[in-house]
Amino acid sequence: MLDDVDLKILKIIQNDAKYPLEKISQEVKLPKSTVAYRIKKMEKEGVIKGYYTHIDPSALNLDYLVVTMIKAKYGQNYHETLGKKLAQLPGVWGVYFILGDIDFIVIARFKNREEFLNNFLEKLINMPEIERTSTSVIAKTIKETPFQIL
Amino acid sequence: MLDDVDLKILKIIQNDAKYPLEKISQEVKLPKSTVAYRIKKMEKEGVIKGYYTHIDPSALNLDYLVVTMIKAKYGQNYHETLGKKLAQLPGVWGVYFILGDIDFIVIARFKNREEFLNNFLEKLINMPEIERTSTSVIAKTIKETPFQIL
DNA sequence: TTTGAAAAACTTATTAC
DNA sequence: GTAATAAGTTTTTCAAA
């Protein structure tokens, strides 16, 4: 479905969404219009899902990061509803459903401990689908490049 | 440092890096040149760290996702060196240093179980700084929007 | 730091192959 | 799917406030 040229294009734009068509065309040695055609096609097919601006969280004082492990209560569709609820909590950017002793890993960002407690942990406690939770504070983000996949 | 207009601009472009200046200028009710000036300023100051293309990992068959918990051996600068080593492993996009029983949480993406074993786990095993590891397979990514912070 | 206008750069549309 | 050109947009520059 994707050939080498597509991959080369993706590799170029994944870290620089505004990289000019002209330069891409030089690097892949195809005319601008062809590169444009291929990019549009990948957008339509869902290979390219969007173009994001990477904003430094620290600039907004979002320096209180946490990872929370969640075990859901055993029951019918607890996982389904709980996953959705977790994804909607303010500050939460990552919700992963995993196989094992824990059911969910949630990664979230807050301004400070108070916001974490009031906007997040307080709400977790009131969710009936949750059996237990365990939160760790992230002391340092060493790497965070989810969209760098090539 | 950032005023309401800056925040409004960031909010618009965080999910659409290619949103035209003209439309932004209409929405914040300031001329294009002013909006351009502010964006450039935020780029220089590091508030805006880049523009990424969101590529669907499934399009590249990167559907084997894992979360690995790592405990480092007790020692001098094990954490520092280990953190760097983990960040360089292929497939790894998230490395978080946490406070608690575990030292690192690593999130990575592979094509299949074999690539995970050969390119990742095999290498972990050979790192002398590691005390023990525990890996969970992510059954479902419910949310993953690290750069959506506004 | 803001602004408007002009220039430069970039993207899209069109057509043909 | 590729390619060339033309048309249309968007971004950048710049002098002035």
Side-chain angles (χ1 to χ4, degrees):
Chain A
M1 193 170 146
L2 294 174
D3 65 14
D4 286 355
V5 176
D6 291 325
L7 291 176
K8 212 166 172 183
I9 294 170
L10 288 176
K11 198 165 188 170
I12 293 169
I13 63 176
Q14 79 171 341
N15 289 313
D16 191 353
K18 298 193 174 184
Y19 202 80
L21 218 48
E22 178 125 43
K23 285 191 186 172
I24 302 172
S25 98
Q26 288 166 10
E27 290 176 33
V28 302
K29 292 178 180 94
L30 280 174
K32 285 185 295 183
S33 51
T34 304
V35 175
Y37 170 83
R38 281 168 175 263
I39 291 176
K40 274 271 168 296
K41 195 178 168 218
M42 290 192 280
E43 285 171 358
K44 277 199 193 95
E45 286 168 345
V47 175
I48 292 173
K49 300 191 83 115
Y51 302 97
Y52 296 162
T53 298
H54 182 184
I55 300 163
D56 181 9
S58 292
L60 299 169
N61 299 313
L62 292 163
D63 290 319
Y64 195 85
L65 313 177
V66 301
V67 184
T68 299
M69 318 285 191
I70 292 167
K71 175 80 186 165
K73 281 212 180 102
Y74 190 75
Q76 42 281 13
N77 59 345
Y78 274 159
H79 289 127
E80 184 87 11
T81 54
L82 182 52
K84 283 181 191 158
K85 273 180 150 184
L86 294 172
Q88 282 163 6
L89 288 176
V92 168
W93 66 257
V95 179
Y96 302 96
F97 178 46
I98 64 175
L99 306 170
D101 188 43
I102 298 160
D103 292 309
F104 293 97
I105 286 190
V106 176
I107 309 185
R109 216 180 328 248
F110 305 95
K111 290 205 168 150
N112 48 50
R113 195 175 129 80
E114 282 63 48
E115 290 214 348
F116 155 69
L117 290 172
N118 299 334
N119 300 338
F120 181 74
L121 200 57
E122 184 65 32
K123 289 180 183 168
L124 279 191
I125 289 167
N126 290 319
M127 289 186 186
E129 300 92 343
I130 292 179
E131 170 90 31
R132 61 187 153 75
T133 73
S134 152
T135 297
S136 298
V137 175
I138 296 174
K140 197 179 177 194
T141 300
I142 294 160
K143 188 175 193 181
E144 192 170 77
T145 55
F147 303 139
Q148 198 169 309
I149 63 180
L150 275 165
Chain B
M1 193 169 146
L2 294 173
D3 64 13
D4 286 355
V5 175
D6 291 323
L7 292 176
K8 212 167 172 182
I9 294 170
L10 289 176
K11 197 164 189 171
I12 293 169
I13 64 176
Q14 78 171 342
N15 289 313
D16 190 354
K18 298 194 175 185
Y19 202 80
L21 269 184
E22 178 123 43
K23 284 193 187 171
I24 303 172
S25 101
Q26 287 166 9
E27 290 176 33
V28 302
K29 292 178 181 96
L30 280 174
K32 283 185 292 184
S33 50
T34 305
V35 175
Y37 172 84
R38 280 168 176 262
I39 291 175
K40 276 270 169 296
K41 194 180 168 215
M42 289 191 280
E43 287 171 358
K44 279 200 192 94
E45 286 169 346
V47 175
I48 293 173
K49 301 190 84 114
Y51 302 97
Y52 297 162
T53 298
H54 182 184
I55 300 163
D56 181 9
S58 292
L60 299 168
N61 299 313
L62 292 163
D63 289 319
Y64 195 84
L65 314 176
V66 300
V67 184
T68 299
M69 318 284 190
I70 292 167
K71 175 78 185 166
K73 281 211 179 102
Y74 190 74
Q76 41 283 11
N77 59 345
Y78 275 159
H79 289 126
E80 184 87 11
T81 54
L82 182 52
K84 283 180 191 160
K85 274 180 149 185
L86 294 172
Q88 282 162 8
L89 288 176
V92 168
W93 65 258
V95 179
Y96 303 97
F97 178 46
I98 64 174
L99 306 169
D101 188 44
I102 298 161
D103 292 310
F104 294 96
I105 286 190
V106 175
I107 309 185
R109 216 180 326 250
F110 305 95
K111 289 203 170 153
N112 50 48
R113 197 175 129 82
E114 283 64 46
E115 291 214 347
F116 156 69
L117 290 173
N118 299 333
N119 300 338
F120 181 74
L121 201 57
E122 184 66 31
K123 288 180 184 169
L124 279 192
I125 289 165
N126 291 318
M127 290 187 186
E129 300 92 342
I130 292 179
E131 170 89 30
R132 60 186 156 75
T133 73
S134 153
T135 297
S136 298
V137 175
I138 296 174
K140 196 178 179 197
T141 300
I142 294 160
K143 188 176 193 181
E144 191 171 76
T145 55
F147 303 139
Q148 199 169 308
I149 64 181
L150 274 164

